[in-house]
């Protein structure tokens, strides 16, 4: 399979906060070719190879100036020539489908330029979501998924992932003396990128009754580009159970469902809310002292919840 797509994106806007900036604009044009190969060894075994390209435009908030509400001076200048994130990914894999199992093994390689990392920033006194250009990134990983087809109403499922990701550039920064320098981030692990992830799931169906349960593990994630602070590993879990009722008048498939999350009620960190360049003071590649950036912040796992839904098709 061969494909080609080209994306042309134009964004314009106005900044109505009093200051020197009024109109902003950004233009992007990215070619996105792709290739897919599949070899059916037989009805049960298949080998595949994919090459795809993708892009991501910087968040629109990065276009605008940020002003100090008390003095009116510019804190962060909006950038009009922001570069799009561009990625090339290759995947080589094997699929198995027989009377007992469904499985997949995938080897992947991803190369990013101008990696856009989502973060929070204070703009004109308000906290907003924005993106930061983190330079180049290389990610290589292995994914394994295996599921058992329904057996005595049960269908177990397991999956796991190993990811080796590194930053390809030293990030620019300003030293304590005001000089331009670079953080020694080349070869470091990117922020919010766990090395290991795993899931275990179980599905049970008997007539109109159904139940799904899952347990997910996420390894530690660095919350600073210098890898000097990290969020520890955590587990998350969900359970869903319900009942499919017979047809009632025009309701073709009325269904009652209960969803439970964080069943164990654990109180742990669940995500990196905002990251930092360096959580501790360090020395740049040119020998200048670089003060510690603002500390990373985190969001906790949502507490235990139970949500009931009633749905149907007509």
């Amino acid at each position: 399979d061969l494909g080609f797509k080209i994306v042309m994106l134009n964004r314009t806007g106005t900044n109505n906060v009093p200051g020197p900036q009024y109109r902003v604009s950004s233009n992007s044009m990215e070619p996105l070719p792709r290739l897919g190969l599949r070899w059916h060894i037989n009805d049960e075994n298949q080998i595949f190879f994919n090459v795809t390209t993708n892009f991501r435009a910087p968040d629109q908030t990065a276009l605008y100036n940020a002003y100090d509400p008390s003095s009116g001076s510019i804190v962060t200048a909006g950038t009009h020539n922001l570069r799009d994130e561009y990625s090339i990914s290759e995947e080589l894999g094997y699929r198995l489908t027989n009377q007992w199992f469904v499985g997949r093994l995938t080897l992947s390689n991803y190369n990013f330029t101008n990696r856009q990392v989502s973060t929070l920033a204070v703009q004109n006194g308000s906290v907003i979501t924005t993106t930061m250009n983190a330079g180049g990134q290389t990610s290589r990983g292995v994914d394994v998924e295996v599921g058992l087809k329904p057996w005595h109403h049960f269908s177990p499922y397991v999956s796991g992932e190993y990811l080796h990701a590194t930053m390809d550039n030293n990030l620019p920064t300003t030293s304590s003396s005001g000089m331009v320098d670079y953080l020694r981030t080349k070869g470091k692990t990117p922020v919010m990128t766990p090395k290991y992830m795993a899931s275990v799931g179980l599905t049970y169906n008997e007539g109109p009754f159904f139940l799904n349960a899952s347990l997910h593990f996420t390894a530690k994630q660095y919350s600073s580009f210098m890898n000097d602070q990290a969020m520890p590993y955590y587990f998350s879990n969900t359970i869903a159970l319900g009942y499919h009722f017979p047809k009632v008048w025009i309701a073709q498939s009325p269904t009652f469902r209960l969803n439970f999350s964080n069943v164990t009620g654990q109180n742990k960190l669940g995500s990196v809310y905002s990251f930092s360049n360096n959580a501790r003071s360090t020395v740049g590649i040119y020998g200048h002292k670089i003060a510690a950036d603002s500390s990373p912040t985190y969001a906790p796992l949502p507490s235990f919840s139970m949500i009931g839904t009633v749905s149907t098709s007509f």
Side-chain angles (χ1 to χ4, degrees):
D1 298 318
L2 290 170
F4 181 81
K5 178 171 66 174
I6 189 167
V7 177
M8 291 177 284
L9 174 65
N10 170 261
R11 295 182 293 179
T12 59
T14 57
N15 188 356
N16 293 318
V17 174
Q21 184 190 49
Y22 175 67
R23 182 180 176 84
V24 297
S25 63
S26 173
N27 293 283
S28 301
M29 184 177 71
E30 299 291 354
L32 301 174
R34 59 187 57 220
L35 164 70
L37 301 173
R38 296 186 303 276
W39 177 32
H40 293 271
I41 302 173
N42 51 41
D43 292 340
E44 297 182 352
N45 301 276
Q46 180 189 114
I47 294 175
F48 62 90
F49 176 71
N50 300 317
V51 179
T52 58
T53 55
N54 291 283
F55 95 106
R56 177 185 178 184
D59 198 281
Q60 61 184 3
T61 54
L63 297 171
Y64 295 95
N65 290 346
Y67 299 97
D68 186 333
S70 60
S71 64
S73 60
I74 297 178
V75 178
T76 304
T79 305
H80 294 193
N81 58 347
L82 295 172
R83 294 186 177 182
D84 298 326
E85 173 185 298
Y86 197 85
S87 64
I88 302 175
S89 63
E90 301 96 15
E91 292 184 338
L92 174 64
Y94 164 76
R95 292 189 184 100
L96 169 67
T97 303
N98 59 29
Q99 62 177 347
W100 295 107
F101 296 99
V102 176
R104 185 177 69 172
L105 170 66
T106 307
L107 306 177
S108 59
N109 179 69
Y110 299 88
N111 288 282
F112 299 87
T113 55
N114 302 306
R115 179 67 160 159
Q116 299 296 320
V117 182
S118 297
T119 186
L120 299 177
V122 177
Q123 192 172 90
N124 307 324
S126 300
V127 178
I128 61 167
T129 302
T130 187
T131 50
M132 172 184 173
N133 189 331
Q137 178 179 319
T138 301
S139 301
R140 297 184 173 96
V142 180
D143 287 274
V144 180
E145 298 176 280
V146 179
L148 179 67
K149 288 189 174 180
W151 180 75
H152 294 286
H153 308 292
F154 288 97
S155 300
Y157 164 87
V158 295
S159 68
E161 178 186 86
Y162 168 76
L163 180 64
H164 177 71
T166 56
M167 298 179 63
D168 299 336
N169 303 97
N170 294 313
L171 291 183
T173 188
T174 303
S175 67
S176 302
S177 60
M179 301 295 292
V180 174
D181 208 328
Y182 289 81
L183 292 168
R184 301 174 187 271
T185 53
K186 186 175 181 179
K188 302 283 188 184
T189 301
V191 295
M192 298 179 284
T193 307
K195 181 168 286 190
Y196 303 100
M197 292 175 51
S199 295
V200 178
L202 180 66
T203 299
Y204 177 81
N205 286 279
E206 183 171 4
F209 177 78
F210 63 90
L211 181 146
N212 300 307
S214 66
L215 177 66
H216 185 77
F217 167 79
T218 304
K220 77 172 183 179
Q221 303 173 59
Y222 288 110
S223 52
S224 67
F225 287 117
M226 283 296 293
N227 292 175
D228 50 8
Q229 190 167 130
M231 188 188 81
Y233 72 89
Y234 69 92
F235 289 90
S236 58
N237 51 74
T238 60
I239 295 177
L241 55 90
Y243 192 88
H244 297 292
F245 292 93
K247 176 182 177 181
V248 178
W249 192 40
I250 62 172
Q252 298 296 318
S253 57
T255 302
F256 174 70
R257 182 185 181 103
L258 284 176
N259 295 296
F260 303 85
S261 64
N262 196 1
V263 180
T264 56
Q266 59 180 332
N267 184 17
K268 296 193 71 174
L269 299 178
S271 63
V272 178
Y273 194 60
S274 66
F275 56 83
S276 69
N277 289 339
N278 52 305
R280 302 173 185 170
S281 60
T282 186
V283 176
I285 62 173
Y286 295 145
H288 300 106
K289 183 177 180 180
I290 301 171
D293 195 9
S294 57
S295 297
T297 58
Y298 308 90
L301 278 174
S303 57
F304 168 77
S305 66
M306 179 182 69
I307 300 175
T309 59
V310 178
S311 62
T312 187
S313 59
F314 298 96

